[in-house]
Amino acid sequence: MLHGLAQTPKTLPCTYFYDATGARLFTRICRLPEYYLTRSEMALLQQHGGEIARRVPAHVGVVEFGSGSSRKIDLLLEHLDRPAAYVPVDVSLSCLQSAARALRRRYPGLLIAPVHADFTTHLELAQQLPAGPKLGFFPGSTLGNFDPADATALLRRFATTLGEGCQLIVGVDTKKDVCRLHAAYNDAAGVTAAFNLNLLRRINRELGGTFDLRQFVHRAPYNRAAGRIEMHLISLRAQTVRIGNAQVTFRAGESIHTENSYKYSLADFTAIASNAGLAVRGTWIDRQRSFSVYLCGG
Ligand code: AVI
């Protein structure tokens, strides 16, 4: 986690946002008026779930990569023709267990086989997935948190995990008006700032850090050339922070780059999918062009 703080510019991996506090803050972000992503994607799935499901064969085994609380899968499961299994994959055991309990109650005949794993690693799901067609589900624009090259490699890995002839549904945030993007990552209530700063609180708690959170501020500008929102923590003054036995020195105004959130046009996403060996077979975008859902096939 810490080697990025020894580099120039300083970085921290965005995967560390999601301790229990970070996961709670992210749930609050998803409900913010400015954070349109979750609402727009849910609306798209509500409106088009039936149509998407009709393009998927019967008895499909569904794998959700980074399932969290599995809030969106209902919008597909209710339309799929006799799905064979649902395999949620997530690093949070408590989220997996409570989601699996709720889904077993709602779909008593469906095999629910949770996998406690990091979806970015190599996954072997032969034990969880019955033979037959496979469908991957990767909502939330989580793909945007990977650089295009890593996003390509990730989609290719998903396709390999699912096997020949698989389909994959991906939710992707779109390029849009910069003010709207900026507001979504710089909300008035300061929840995104708290989410970002929680990384430093986590280092203090778990690694014996001495970060003074009042001496860092959240910034999230849109980098137009790269097509991404960047999240940073900016040091308000020159300071030295201890982390265990190590020391990290900051200049006044120096940044720790904590996250990228890429925004993709249809052409951008089609290129990434195609580099991963996948073809875009269906596209759903709302009228305001806020968010997109793609169905890809091998
Ligand atoms: C999880 N991911 C898609 C979110 C995003 O929009 O990039 C994480 C997030 N960062 C700040 N707000 C939300």
Side-chain angles (χ1 to χ4, degrees):
M1 177 178 190
L2 293 179
H3 83 276
L5 291 180
Q7 290 170 350
T8 312
K10 292 181 170 57
T11 60
L12 280 172
C14 64
T15 43
Y16 288 98
F17 280 132
Y18 302 95
D19 63 350
T21 307
R24 261 196 309 276
L25 287 166
F26 183 62
T27 302
R28 283 181 59 198
I29 288 175
C30 293
R31 295 184 186 134
L32 288 169
E34 299 97 328
Y35 194 76
Y36 56 85
L37 287 82
T38 313
R39 261 186 312 281
S40 305
E41 184 178 49
M42 293 286 272
L44 275 174
L45 292 172
Q46 248 142 22
Q47 207 179 337
H48 302 290
E51 189 190 339
I52 298 171
R54 278 194 292 282
R55 303 206 188 183
V56 174
H59 305 294
V60 77
V62 185
V63 179
E64 181 169 355
F65 299 100
S67 51
S69 55
S70 290
R71 251 170 21 102
K72 296 171 184 161
I73 196 64
D74 263 338
L75 301 171
L76 286 177
L77 283 180
E78 64 184 341
H79 297 291
L80 287 171
D81 184 3
R82 290 158 291 159
Y86 171 59
V87 180
V89 179
D90 205 90
V91 284
S92 164
L93 191 57
S94 58
C95 275
L96 275 174
Q97 286 168 338
S98 63
R101 264 196 306 275
L103 284 163
R104 283 191 186 113
R105 272 197 300 273
R106 277 204 295 288
Y107 302 93
L110 179 65
L111 170 66
I112 313 270
V115 172
H116 183 213
D118 174 350
F119 67 78
T120 62
T121 61
H122 174 77
L123 296 169
E124 277 297 339
L125 302 177
Q127 283 197 328
Q128 284 78 16
L129 279 169
K134 310 286 185 288
L135 174 68
F137 185 44
F138 192 42
S141 201
T142 305
L143 189 72
N145 296 134
F146 296 81
D147 287 344
D150 291 341
T152 305
L154 188 65
L155 292 188
R156 190 177 295 123
R157 196 162 329 122
F158 288 168
T160 307
T161 298
L162 295 167
E164 185 93 29
C166 70
Q167 290 175 305
L168 184 62
I169 296 170
V170 189
V172 178
D173 196 12
T174 57
K175 291 197 162 86
K176 59 178 66 65
D177 172 53
V178 176
C179 292
R180 208 166 159 221
L181 282 171
H182 190 266
Y185 292 84
N186 296 273
D187 61 284
V191 183
T192 311
F195 176 71
N196 201 4
L197 283 160
N198 182 54
L199 269 178
L200 304 186
R201 185 172 287 121
R202 188 171 179 188
I203 294 175
N204 285 351
R205 195 183 56 241
E206 294 181 20
L207 302 171
T210 61
F211 279 104
D212 178 350
L213 270 60
R214 292 163 305 186
Q215 298 304 331
F216 288 85
V217 286
H218 162 78
R219 292 278 178 274
Y222 183 62
N223 178 335
R224 195 186 287 271
R228 68 189 190 205
I229 285 278
E230 295 181 358
M231 294 227 298
H232 296 266
L233 291 166
I234 308 291
S235 174
L236 288 176
R237 58 176 170 87
Q239 55 184 316
T240 299
V241 175
R242 274 186 293 107
I243 304 171
N245 296 326
Q247 282 201 336
V248 186
T249 303
F250 292 89
R251 288 177 278 106
E254 189 173 357
S255 144
I256 310 174
H257 187 166
T258 54
E259 186 183 60
N260 289 320
S261 192
Y262 283 85
K263 310 301 168 189
Y264 289 130
S265 66
L266 168 60
D268 296 333
F269 178 76
T270 303
I272 287 176
S274 136
N275 289 336
L278 293 163
V280 174
R281 308 230 188 265
T283 304
W284 292 268
I285 302 187
D286 58 288
R287 275 229 219 106
Q288 296 78 41
R289 309 194 80 70
S290 300
F291 202 86
S292 49
V293 172
Y294 296 99
L295 176 66
C296 306

